[in-house]
Structure formats: structure tokens, C-alpha cells
Amino acid sequence: RACVRVCLRLFACYPLPSGSSIKSSDIIERLRTFCTEGELEVSSRLAVLQLLKQSFQLSEEDERLLLFCNTTAIVERFWGKTLDGDAVCDDGARGKLFAELLSASQGDLKLLTGLAELLHVWPPLQDSSGVSTWSVLLCHFVSAATATAIAGGDQGAVVADILRYR
């Protein structure tokens, strides 16, 4: 990461032998190509996209790519599932994915924590009835915490898990 940052600064500061300088759009275009390469690990693509976001003003297309890579990384880590590009293309698709993952979570606090991470990186989202997905998730967290406490689990640890979603 540090190496990429240094390269970005060098490209911006020093001209090419021809006298022209490398434009930020040239750098972004090449890195965008890198980030859309499906064969590469999501974590690598995500790191480059986050660096781009810190260094440049991202286009709407780049923001969507960043959202997709963030979502894919979280879904792969918690559910072991791969996504296609349409899974997060709009609010409807994200809502559908949220409902699917919530159903698959079945009260598992770890998976509910994964959903909290998703909601943290997504733009605000409401379910089909206009209720905030955060409200829906909180209700599931409370139900899961209650079930864990009834089963003899540590309520303090359960509450800490709810509050610490990262």
C-alpha cells in the first residue's frame, strides 16, 4: 500500500521524458482495470479501491465498484458465498441480498454482525415497507441475544457483540 501511495505521488509530481505528465485519470483508468479483474482476490482489489478513494475523487462507476468489492469481501468472509455484479447494483438488489442473508443467519450473532458490517458500508437502505434495515437487524440482534441469554450464555458478551459489529 505504501508503495502505491509513493508511486501515485511521484506520477503526480514528476513529468515524463516527453515533458507531459501522467494525469490522475491515466492512473485511475489503469487501476480500475486492475480492480475489475475477476481473477484477483477481493481483498487486493478492495485495498486498491480504498487507496484510490483516499487519493482521488472517484467516479460514480468507481464508487459502485468499491461498494461491490466491500460487499463481496464481507459476504465471502461471513457466508462463504460469491456474488455477481448485479447483487448490489441498486437499493432493490441490496435489499434482496440483505433479506436473503438475514434469513440465512438464523439468529447467529456472528452472521448478524456480518450484516451490520454490510449496512455500515452500504448507503442507507429501507425494506419494502419503508422500515430501516438497521431497525430490522437490531430486532434480530435482540432476539438472538435473548435466546443466547436464556440458553445460559453470557449476556454481557452478547451485548458487547451487538455493540461491536466490526
Side-chain angles (χ1 to χ4, degrees):
R1 253 190 195 172
C3 178
V4 174
R5 283 190 183 140
V6 169
C7 289
L8 290 175
R9 286 189 188 121
L10 288 173
F11 288 142
C13 295
Y14 294 100
L16 295 172
S18 64
S20 63
S21 60
I22 295 176
K23 298 176 188 146
S24 61
S25 60
D26 296 330
I27 297 169
I28 290 173
E29 185 58 39
R30 282 173 182 73
L31 290 175
R32 181 184 298 126
T33 302
F34 170 83
C35 292
T36 57
E37 178 59 49
E39 301 292 316
L40 298 172
E41 287 186 32
V42 172
S43 60
S44 298
R45 292 185 285 160
L46 185 56
V48 169
L49 280 166
Q50 288 172 337
L51 183 59
L52 279 174
K53 186 173 185 168
Q54 293 169 3
S55 304
F56 302 102
Q57 178 69 34
L58 295 184
S59 69
E60 191 174 314
E61 177 186 346
D62 294 328
E63 290 286 350
R64 281 193 302 270
L65 184 58
L66 179 60
L67 182 68
F68 174 73
C69 286
N70 271 320
T71 301
T72 300
I74 293 167
V75 170
E76 284 180 359
R77 184 168 28 121
F78 284 92
W79 288 273
K81 177 180 175 176
T82 54
L83 302 175
D84 62 25
D86 295 334
V88 295
C89 63
D90 57 32
D91 285 350
R94 286 188 297 276
K96 182 179 175 187
L97 179 61
F98 175 81
E100 178 186 320
L101 296 175
L102 182 62
S103 176
S105 297
Q106 299 181 0
D108 181 323
L109 286 171
K110 180 182 175 202
L111 296 178
L112 293 174
T113 300
L115 279 170
E117 283 193 32
L118 281 177
L119 293 181
H120 183 70
V121 299
W122 285 353
L125 186 63
Q126 297 180 347
D127 71 6
S128 57
S129 61
V131 176
S132 164
T133 47
W134 278 106
S135 298
V136 172
L137 182 58
L138 183 58
C139 289
H140 279 80
F141 260 125
V142 169
S143 295
T146 303
T148 300
I150 290 171
D154 179 359
Q155 283 181 306
V158 171
V159 170
D161 283 342
I162 292 171
L163 297 175
R164 180 185 53 240
Y165 60 86
R166 280 203 108 170

